[in-house]
């Protein structure tokens, strides 16, 4: 997941400047090497709120100067001036985001609650500045625009369309209400996120008897024991209420009653009818979104949300999802039938339930493909896979990674790597790696850009982060991860490479600042390199013997590559369909639990699976607007990534074909949003992507047209 920190209006370059040092470290421009870096060793939470308020006032002053410029509007004095404005606020917000996602402590929570609406307030003031919009509109409509470069024309279009989309042409009365709604939403997004984080931090399940550890591999037991020690508990281990902790337990635990307890705790996050319950909050969000959409001239929030995406219309996304839904459900039914046979052969007198699915799927995998996850996992060392990612980046994009030990970090777990181009030797960015779970860190995995690559105000390199929640084991022992976690690792690294390969002029068009249903494409296509023999033979090394994964095991992994695709597809698309249907409601005054059940029933959702993200814990769509009515984007982007993969596999060199790799860099990874993504993809591939490639990738039948 690409973590989008805020509206595009606040994404600007942060460069080192020679300025007088401020007593508040947050208010100092980033200084030091690499064009300036965050001074994590100097920041104190007590300084954050006054720094935000100061930087907001400074940004508004800069915007007022641009809006009141008496000279005729031009690209330089209006659009470029906007790109250069607000550097101080942008750098502070980047650090604010680190605290919010990676170090959300009780001391930070009240700051986040109070300040989040402030960021929305300044965005409202900018979008609703009539003089500013008039200048942007003048540049947009000027015949002189044709003399600009294609990238500059794209930037003018982006500013104009974003302002219109956010209500620049709305009535004065509507603008007032839209501003109120945006601020209310900002507070509700924060409340939803904090409730979810609290539910994860405050609830867990510990082992007190040895029989409760049945089936769990040693490295997993060690990880759960480490968590207990972190919590100060004197027991046999603790399963934290996070995906990275729960899913391995559900996969390996043979103690069925405890599987059910762990599963129920996890799927009911945000739905506990207690102080962390999110149902009332999310309904408020839905109502405000629906109202805002109508004020902006759209029938529903989904219509508004998709107006700046590749899909454009909700109907197109639903058609795509439904075309994949039926074959995925059929695959699930076949898989469950095989699982049920194992249950019966073992003398079990029960029907497969959601808390059984992962456990028995592993048994089927072993029986059908002679492939046990426990046979694979000893070869999947986190650090070796990180080296494998670096190697792929070198082969495909000619990037080199070197660890830097002298830069300040926000937590001891974080490491920093200098990224250079192998050919030119030029530094292209910094990569911060924060791989481990801890209290106060939100669950999941994501990428974020602390600074965008740009050339509008000097040659500014990007700073990107990858953040995961792997569980630490015993000290000085390698951390072993699952195949699914390894895929996630490569996925998030794909987002990072999208930022590191960026080669554009303007920060608002840089890196991952693309339409939401396109941004997941580069990350999803990078997942494909994990399973290549070149990576597995070099970097899938047994943690005890150091020997590479045997070719026979590599071949079994390849044969089983589409195993369980039915489960993962249904789990994800059910969430995406519910998301879209929620945001197509014109009057979303609903009971979330009842509504969820009704929609899933109408879809004939297999009873053995639940949504990947149930409504009360669906942080993608209720912690901010960017993925709301947009979770379909993972499937949309996977259609493109499956098609792009075939551009490689159609050649004799496969995924390591240098010619195709060069096109992938030049036409996809390096251009950001400087070109319409649909045009860019056709340039890379020679044609538009179709869903047939996805169906082949997932081993689903392709319907004849």
């Amino acid at each position: 997941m690409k973590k989008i920190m805020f509206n595009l209006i606040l994404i600007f370059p942060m460069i080192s400047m020679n300025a007088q040092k401020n007593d508040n470290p947050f208010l100092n421009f980033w200084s030091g090497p690499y064009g300036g870096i965050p001074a994590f060793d100097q920041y104190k939470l007590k300084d954050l709120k006054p720094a935000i308020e100061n930087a907001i006032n400074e940004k508004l002053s800069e915007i007022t100067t641009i809006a009141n410029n008496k000279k005729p509007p031009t690209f330089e004095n209006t659009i470029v001036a906007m790109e250069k404005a607000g550097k101080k606020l942008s750098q502070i917000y980047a650090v604010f985001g680190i605290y919010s996602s990676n170090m959300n402590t009780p001391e930070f929570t009240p700051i986040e609650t109070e300040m989040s609406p402030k960021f929305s307030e300044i965005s409202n003031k900018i979008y609703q500045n009539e003089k500013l919009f008039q200048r942007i509109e003048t540049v947009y409509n000027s015949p002189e625009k044709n003399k600009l470069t294609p990238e500059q024309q794209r930037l003018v279009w982006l500013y104009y369309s974003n302002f219109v989309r956010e209500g620049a042409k709305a009535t004065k009365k509507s603008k007032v209400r839209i501003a109120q709604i945006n601020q209310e939403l900002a507070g509700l997004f924060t409340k939803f996120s904090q409730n979810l984080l609290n539910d994860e931090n405050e609830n867990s399940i510990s082992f007190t008897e040895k029989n409760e550890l049945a089936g769990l591999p040693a490295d997993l037991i060690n990880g759960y024991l480490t968590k207990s020690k972190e919590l100060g508990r004197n027991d046999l281990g603790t399963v934290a209420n996070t995906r990275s902790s729960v899913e391995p337990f559900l996969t390996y635990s043979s103690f069925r009653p405890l599987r059910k307890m762990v599963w129920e705790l996890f799927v009911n996050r945000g739905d506990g009818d207690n102080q962390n319950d999110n149902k009332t909050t999310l309904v408020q969000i839905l109502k405000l979104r629906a109202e805002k959409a109508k004020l902006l001239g759209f029938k529903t929030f989904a219509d508004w949300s998709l107006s700046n995406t590749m899909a454009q219309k909700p109907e197109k996304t639903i058609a795509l999802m439904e075309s994949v839904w039926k074959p995925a459900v059929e695959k699930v039914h076949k898989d469950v039938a095989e699982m049920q046979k194992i249950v019966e052969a073992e003398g079990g007198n029960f029907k497969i339930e959601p808390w059984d699915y992962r456990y028995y799927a592993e048994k089927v995998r072993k029986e059908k493909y002679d492939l046990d996850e426990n046979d694979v996992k000893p070869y999947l060392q986190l650090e070796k896979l990180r080296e494998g990612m670096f190697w792929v980046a070198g082969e495909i994009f000619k990037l080199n990674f070197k660890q830097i030990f002298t830069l300040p970090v926000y937590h001891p777990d974080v490491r920093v790597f200098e990224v250079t181009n192998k050919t030119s030797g030029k530094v292209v960015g910094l990569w911060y790696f924060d791989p481990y779970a801890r209290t106060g860190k939100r669950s999941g995995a994501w990428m974020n850009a602390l600074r965008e690559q740009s050339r509008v105000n000097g040659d500014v390199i990007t700073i990107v982060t990858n953040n995961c929640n792997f569980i630490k084991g015993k000290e000085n022992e390698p951390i072993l991860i699952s195949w699914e976690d390894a895929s996630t690792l490569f996925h998030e690294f794909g987002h990072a490479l999208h930022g590191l390969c960026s080669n554009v002029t303007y920060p608002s068009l840089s890196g991952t600042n693309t339409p939401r249903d396109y941004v997941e494409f580069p990350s999803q296509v990078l997942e494909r390199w994990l399973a290549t023999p070149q990576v597995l033979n070099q970097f899938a090394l047994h943690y005890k013997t150091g020997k590479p994964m045997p070719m026979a095991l590599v071949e079994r992994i390849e044969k089983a590559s589409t195993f369980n695709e039915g489960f993962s597809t249904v789990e994800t698309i059910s969430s995406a369909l519910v998301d879209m249907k929620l945001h197509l409601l014109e009057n979303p005054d609903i009971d979330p639990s009842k509504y969820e059940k009704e929609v899933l029933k109408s879809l004939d959702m297999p009873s053995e699976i639940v949504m990947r993200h149930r409504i009360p814990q669906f942080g993608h769509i209720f912690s901010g607007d960017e993925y709301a009515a947009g979770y379909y984007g993972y499937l949309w982007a996977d259609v493109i990534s499956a098609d792009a993969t075939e551009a490689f596999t159609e050649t004799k060199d496969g995924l390591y074909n240098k010619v195709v790799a060069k096109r992938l860099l030049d036409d996809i990874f390096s251009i950001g949003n400087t070109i319409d993504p649909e045009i860019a993809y056709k340039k890379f591939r020679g044609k538009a992507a179709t869903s047939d490639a996805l169906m082949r990738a997932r081993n689903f039948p392709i319907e004849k047209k």
Side-chain angles (χ1 to χ4, degrees):
M1 174 188 174
K2 148 71 172 151
K3 175 66 174 175
I4 302 174
M5 289 311 305
F6 201 60
N7 200 298
L8 185 67
I9 204 72
L10 280 182
I11 300 176
F12 296 101
M14 293 156 277
I15 62 174
S16 175
M17 295 183 65
N18 294 322
Q20 186 176 353
K21 285 287 184 182
N22 197 295
D23 289 338
N24 186 329
F26 284 106
L27 290 171
N28 293 321
F29 286 104
W30 294 355
S31 61
Y34 304 105
I37 54 171
F40 289 119
D41 55 341
Q42 298 177 27
Y43 300 143
K44 293 181 174 58
L45 273 180
K46 68 179 180 63
D47 296 323
L48 184 54
K49 178 184 170 182
I52 292 171
E53 292 171 335
N54 180 293
I56 284 176
N57 290 333
E58 184 176 294
K59 171 74 177 285
L60 287 174
S61 176
E62 292 171 344
I63 293 299
T64 299
T65 299
I66 296 169
N68 293 337
N69 190 341
K70 296 192 181 302
K71 293 182 179 180
T74 65
F75 177 76
E76 287 294 328
N77 69 21
T78 302
I79 305 300
V80 173
M82 288 282 288
E83 286 290 276
K84 292 181 178 181
K87 291 186 288 290
K88 193 171 289 185
L89 180 59
S90 189
Q91 72 174 25
I92 292 171
Y93 190 77
V95 178
F96 178 89
I98 290 290
Y99 279 106
S100 177
S101 296
N102 301 65
M103 302 187 296
N104 204 312
T105 61
E107 293 77 23
F108 175 73
T109 298
I111 299 172
E112 184 180 35
T113 300
E114 184 179 357
M115 289 294 106
S116 291
K118 297 285 187 182
F119 292 111
S120 179
E121 182 181 4
I122 183 176
S123 186
N124 289 331
K125 288 180 178 178
I126 294 171
Y127 279 125
Q128 296 188 5
N129 186 314
E130 292 185 14
K131 289 183 179 180
L132 181 63
F133 177 64
Q134 286 171 7
R135 294 184 68 84
I136 293 169
E137 188 173 37
T138 298
V139 176
Y140 178 75
N141 291 323
S142 171
E144 295 297 308
K145 186 176 71 173
N146 295 327
K147 297 179 182 179
L148 300 175
T149 67
E151 181 178 348
Q152 290 169 338
Q153 291 183 41
R154 180 76 173 171
L155 185 64
V156 173
W157 167 83
L158 187 68
Y159 268 98
Y160 176 77
S161 59
N162 279 344
F163 269 71
V164 172
R165 191 168 179 270
E166 292 295 337
K169 289 188 172 184
T171 65
K172 287 187 177 182
K173 183 178 179 181
S174 293
K175 285 180 179 178
V176 171
R177 180 57 186 149
I178 289 168
Q180 291 173 341
I181 289 172
N182 287 340
Q183 282 193 264
E184 288 179 49
L185 283 172
L188 291 169
F189 295 155
T190 299
K191 183 178 180 182
F192 186 96
S193 300
Q194 289 177 349
N195 284 347
L196 185 57
L197 184 63
N198 289 339
D199 224 357
E200 292 175 348
N201 286 340
E202 294 169 7
N203 296 290
S204 58
I205 291 178
S206 293
F207 310 116
T208 55
E209 304 291 337
K210 281 192 176 181
N211 65 323
E212 294 172 339
L213 304 175
L216 301 179
D219 65 288
L220 203 55
I221 293 173
N222 290 337
Y224 292 145
L225 187 59
T226 298
K227 183 62 179 178
S228 279
K229 290 178 179 177
E230 178 190 319
L231 296 173
R233 295 176 180 173
N234 185 24
D235 49 40
L236 300 178
T238 297
V239 182
N241 198 22
T242 62
R243 189 174 300 279
S244 59
S245 187
V246 166
E247 288 186 352
F249 181 83
L250 297 178
T251 301
Y252 300 118
S253 173
S254 58
F255 193 39
R256 191 168 188 251
L258 198 56
R259 279 206 311 268
K260 182 180 180 182
M261 287 176 61
V262 169
W263 177 86
E264 287 180 338
L265 188 68
F266 183 69
V267 300
N268 287 313
R269 290 168 300 148
D271 191 18
D273 295 322
N274 53 25
Q275 71 275 14
N276 295 328
D277 193 280
N278 269 330
K279 293 192 289 293
T280 300
T281 301
L282 72 87
V283 171
Q284 289 176 285
I285 291 172
L286 290 170
K287 287 180 178 179
L288 289 170
R289 282 174 172 163
E291 183 185 354
K292 177 183 175 179
K294 288 185 174 68
L295 290 170
L296 291 168
F298 292 85
K299 185 179 181 182
T300 69
F301 180 83
D303 290 292
W304 175 82
S305 181
L306 270 72
S307 64
N308 69 342
T309 64
M310 290 184 73
Q312 290 289 306
K313 300 289 184 182
E315 293 77 15
K316 287 180 68 174
T317 72
I318 291 174
L320 172 63
M321 289 188 280
E322 289 180 346
S323 71
V324 181
W325 177 257
K326 186 177 178 180
V329 170
E330 289 176 357
K331 182 71 164 59
V332 166
H333 290 323
K334 290 178 183 177
D335 290 345
V336 168
E338 293 188 68
M339 295 180 205
Q340 199 65 52
K341 288 179 184 177
I342 293 178
V343 172
E344 292 166 4
E346 292 178 345
N349 187 26
F350 59 84
K351 173 185 170 296
I352 293 286
E353 298 288 354
W355 51 89
D356 300 314
Y357 201 109
R358 290 178 181 274
Y359 178 71
Y360 283 96
E362 278 307 304
K363 291 202 169 198
V364 172
R365 190 201 307 266
K366 187 173 183 179
E367 182 180 277
K368 197 170 184 178
Y369 299 100
D370 190 24
L371 184 65
D372 189 335
E373 184 77 25
N374 284 322
D375 292 336
V376 178
K377 199 171 181 181
Y379 293 93
L380 301 180
Q381 301 178 57
L382 174 61
E383 290 305 309
K384 290 297 181 184
L385 289 172
R386 175 188 57 73
E387 292 174 15
M389 296 191 313
F390 289 175
W391 181 80
V392 169
E395 290 294 302
I396 304 302
F397 300 129
K398 298 183 179 178
L399 296 180
N400 185 65
F401 290 72
K402 181 180 74 173
Q403 188 167 356
I404 304 297
F405 297 93
T406 55
L407 303 186
V409 292
Y410 55 87
H411 190 276
D413 286 345
V414 180
R415 283 167 284 165
V416 186
F417 294 79
E418 174 192 273
V419 188
T420 56
N421 182 282
K422 281 185 174 183
T423 304
S424 66
K426 178 185 176 184
V427 177
V428 298
L430 294 174
W431 184 69
Y432 286 61
F433 189 39
D434 185 1
Y436 307 124
R438 58 178 174 269
T439 302
K441 186 179 185 181
R442 71 180 184 87
S443 61
W446 64 97
M447 167 270 182
N448 196 31
L450 300 183
R451 180 173 70 203
E452 305 286 358
Q453 174 272 330
S454 69
R455 290 190 294 272
V456 73
N457 204 350
D459 196 352
V460 177
I461 64 168
T462 189
I463 300 176
V464 298
T465 72
N466 273 158
N467 314 270
C468 308
N469 273 278
F470 297 117
I471 302 169
K472 289 182 179 179
K474 286 184 177 179
E475 196 172 349
N476 298 322
E477 283 193 5
I479 294 171
L480 304 179
I481 64 177
S482 69
W483 185 264
E484 186 175 349
D485 282 340
S487 295
T488 299
L489 188 68
F490 270 66
H491 175 100
E492 297 305 333
F493 190 60
H495 282 308
L497 290 179
H498 196 180
L500 290 164
C501 291
S502 180
N503 184 22
V504 308
T505 301
Y506 303 100
S508 291
L509 299 173
S510 180
T512 56
N513 292 325
T514 65
R516 182 183 57 241
D517 50 8
Y518 191 75
V519 74
E520 296 296 335
F521 155 47
S523 57
Q524 289 180 189
V525 79
L526 199 86
E527 292 178 38
R528 269 64 175 189
W529 272 269
L530 168 63
T532 59
Q534 292 91 330
V535 169
L536 296 180
N537 290 336
Q538 293 182 80
F539 303 101
L541 306 179
H542 197 283
Y543 78 104
K544 287 184 177 177
T545 66
K547 292 183 178 180
M549 185 179 287
M551 185 52 65
L553 183 54
V554 173
E555 290 171 355
R556 296 205 301 273
I557 290 173
E558 175 61 27
K559 287 180 181 177
S561 61
T562 60
F563 175 76
N564 224 23
E565 279 289 0
F567 170 82
S568 60
T569 303
V570 165
E571 185 189 45
T572 301
I573 295 183
S574 60
S575 297
L577 282 166
V578 168
D579 164 39
M580 190 60 70
K581 289 177 182 294
L582 280 170
H583 290 106
L584 281 168
L585 294 173
E586 294 185 56
N587 179 26
D589 190 8
I590 59 167
D591 176 334
S593 299
K594 183 179 178 182
Y595 184 80
E596 181 181 297
K597 289 177 183 177
E598 289 173 350
V599 172
L600 295 179
K601 183 178 180 181
S602 71
L603 294 172
D604 291 326
M605 176 78 165
S607 63
E608 300 86 3
I609 301 179
V610 294
M611 298 163 60
R612 184 166 180 81
H613 306 283
R614 289 193 55 240
I615 296 176
Q617 62 211 219
F618 209 160
H620 283 76
I621 68 173
F622 292 119
S623 293
D625 272 342
E626 292 298 338
Y627 278 83
Y631 197 69
Y632 77 89
Y634 285 97
L635 181 66
W636 187 274
D638 212 17
V639 167
I640 307 173
S641 66
D643 187 74
T645 301
E646 291 190 348
F648 282 94
T649 57
E650 289 166 358
T651 72
K652 66 181 180 69
D653 297 322
L655 285 171
Y656 295 91
N657 184 284
K658 300 294 185 184
V659 175
V660 182
K662 182 70 164 57
R663 292 208 314 268
L664 187 69
L665 173 63
D666 293 345
D667 298 332
I668 306 296
F669 274 75
S670 69
I671 63 171
N673 194 20
T674 59
I675 301 172
D676 181 288
E678 198 162 346
I679 295 172
Y681 186 76
K682 286 180 181 177
K683 186 180 178 184
F684 160 73
R685 189 70 166 104
K687 65 181 182 68
T690 67
S691 60
D692 286 2
L694 177 70
M695 303 300 272
R696 285 190 288 271
R698 300 193 179 192
N699 199 26
F700 292 164
I702 299 174
E703 290 186 13
K704 292 183 179 180
K705 298 172 183 176

